[in-house]
Amino acid sequence: SSDVCSSDLKLLLTLGLTASLSLLGAGNLSKNTFENMQIFKDIGAEVSNFGQVGNTGMYMVMGSDKKKNPFKVVVDSKGEFLFLIQSVINTKTKSEFKLPIDTSILEGKETFTYGTGKEVIYVFTDPECPYCKKFEKVWPTLTDKYTFKVFLFNLSFHKKAVPMSNYIISGGSKETRGDRLIEIANGNDTNWLAFNSKLEKEARKEFETQLQDKNLNKQLKKSIEKIIKEKIATELKEATELMKTATELGGQLGVQGTPTTIKTNGETVVDWSKL
């Protein structure tokens, strides 16, 4: 979509099914059914979601391996045939077959909330993503209708996203995080740049004289730089943990781009402009 920042996740194979695809009940199968299959045991899989693909006898299974790498596959009920996929298409509706998302794993783990409306929307966003910024700019007009539970899901190719997120999380209270995100969305880079610059300056202050010494031993310089990084990391501990949580949850749910918006019933809102 032209309104989504795509991640650099690469999947091995694309499967096109010509059968009509729809989500049906999975009988007595459970997440454990798949986790106990040898093909999933081999990778230490943790299944987060699954569902039958039409009447094909095949199941879409989503989860992550022991290294927390996400996967989405199609497998038969005995685990004898496995398809690595990018997407499954319903040829009648011309739409992608998707499993409802289990939003229960998101409860209480959001980076912050914004708005006080009755309808809850989970949002995976990247503060540097231009499409996210377009969405965030309209949030102040939606606060009475929606409560946005926000996860800062920084894409690897957005190099400014992490320092922006550090400012959003560490620069103020939970109540001001949403305002800081929208501030960045509106093009104000002054404050997040100043926050990170001050953090760096404060961490380096006590070592400034030594670092300016042209005869400083290289090994000692490396040790000082390590101490400085550790001091900064200590200041950013909460931000780092929250960003790590958002990344892991996004991986479990198969989030591949931003903004990703999800309703409490597990439905992904593809066109956020219609909220």
Side-chain angles (χ1 to χ4, degrees):
S1 169
S2 60
D3 279 344
V4 174
C5 286
S6 298
S7 72
D8 56 3
L9 179 64
K10 294 182 179 179
L11 295 167
L12 301 176
L13 188 63
T14 300
L15 174 68
L17 296 183
T18 56
S20 173
L21 305 176
S22 61
L23 183 64
L24 298 179
N28 295 322
L29 297 183
S30 68
K31 293 178 182 179
N32 288 338
T33 303
F34 298 99
E35 289 175 348
N36 288 329
M37 292 178 180
Q38 194 60 48
I39 51 174
F40 292 111
K41 278 185 177 181
D42 289 343
I43 63 171
E46 183 177 340
V47 173
S48 60
N49 208 352
F50 72 94
Q52 188 173 0
V53 182
N55 58 1
T56 62
M58 306 294 288
Y59 297 83
M60 181 183 287
V61 181
M62 296 175 63
S64 57
D65 64 18
K66 58 186 175 184
K67 294 183 178 180
K68 300 299 182 182
N69 297 312
F71 64 78
K72 181 170 68 172
V73 300
V74 167
V75 64
D76 69 296
S77 61
K78 295 181 179 179
E80 295 176 351
F81 297 94
L82 179 74
F83 300 87
L84 303 177
I85 66 169
Q86 181 173 8
S87 60
V88 176
I89 306 300
N90 184 324
T91 57
K92 285 187 176 181
T93 63
K94 309 300 182 186
S95 61
E96 183 180 355
F97 171 84
K98 292 184 177 181
L99 296 174
I101 293 171
D102 179 9
T103 58
S104 64
I105 67 171
L106 301 177
E107 278 303 314
K109 297 177 182 177
E110 62 273 8
T111 311
F112 62 88
T113 61
Y114 186 86
T116 56
K118 288 185 178 180
E119 188 171 349
V120 172
I121 301 288
Y122 299 96
V123 183
F124 284 82
T125 189
D126 175 326
E128 192 180 351
C129 167
Y131 308 112
C132 298
K133 290 181 179 182
K134 288 169 64 176
F135 180 30
E136 290 151 8
K137 285 179 182 180
V138 302
W139 285 10
T141 67
L142 302 173
T143 55
D144 291 336
K145 185 176 181 181
Y146 298 105
T147 292
F148 295 109
K149 295 195 174 185
V150 184
F151 297 80
L152 293 181
F153 186 79
N154 300 323
L155 303 177
S156 61
F157 52 85
H158 283 158
K159 303 306 179 185
K160 297 176 183 177
V162 170
M164 285 175 170
S165 295
N166 287 336
Y167 163 69
I168 291 166
I169 299 170
S170 305
S173 65
K174 289 184 178 180
E175 290 72 27
T176 63
R177 288 174 184 171
D179 295 331
R180 287 171 181 264
L181 177 65
I182 293 170
E183 170 190 307
I184 292 171
N186 284 319
N188 185 346
D189 294 329
T190 303
N191 292 329
W192 74 263
L193 285 170
F195 170 82
N196 285 278
S197 176
K198 182 180 179 182
L199 197 64
E200 177 81 18
K201 187 177 179 179
E202 288 293 322
R204 300 180 73 87
K205 187 164 56 177
E206 64 179 286
F207 303 103
E208 204 60 49
T209 302
Q210 289 173 278
L211 290 171
Q212 288 177 1
D213 184 355
K214 294 181 180 179
N215 298 316
L216 180 64
N217 178 281
K218 286 185 178 180
Q219 191 60 42
L220 180 56
K221 184 177 181 179
K222 285 178 69 175
S223 297
I224 291 173
E225 292 291 353
K226 182 180 179 182
I227 292 171
I228 290 170
K229 287 182 179 179
E230 288 173 349
K231 288 182 69 176
I232 293 173
T234 299
E235 290 292 325
L236 300 174
K237 186 176 180 180
E238 183 184 14
T240 301
E241 287 298 317
L242 286 171
M243 283 185 272
K244 180 182 177 183
T245 296
T247 299
E248 290 177 351
L249 289 171
Q252 289 180 47
L253 298 180
V255 175
Q256 296 182 35
T258 55
T260 292
T261 49
I262 307 165
K263 294 184 177 181
T264 51
N265 65 0
E267 176 190 350
T268 301
V269 184
V270 178
D271 187 358
W272 52 260
S273 64
K274 292 181 179 178
L275 287 175

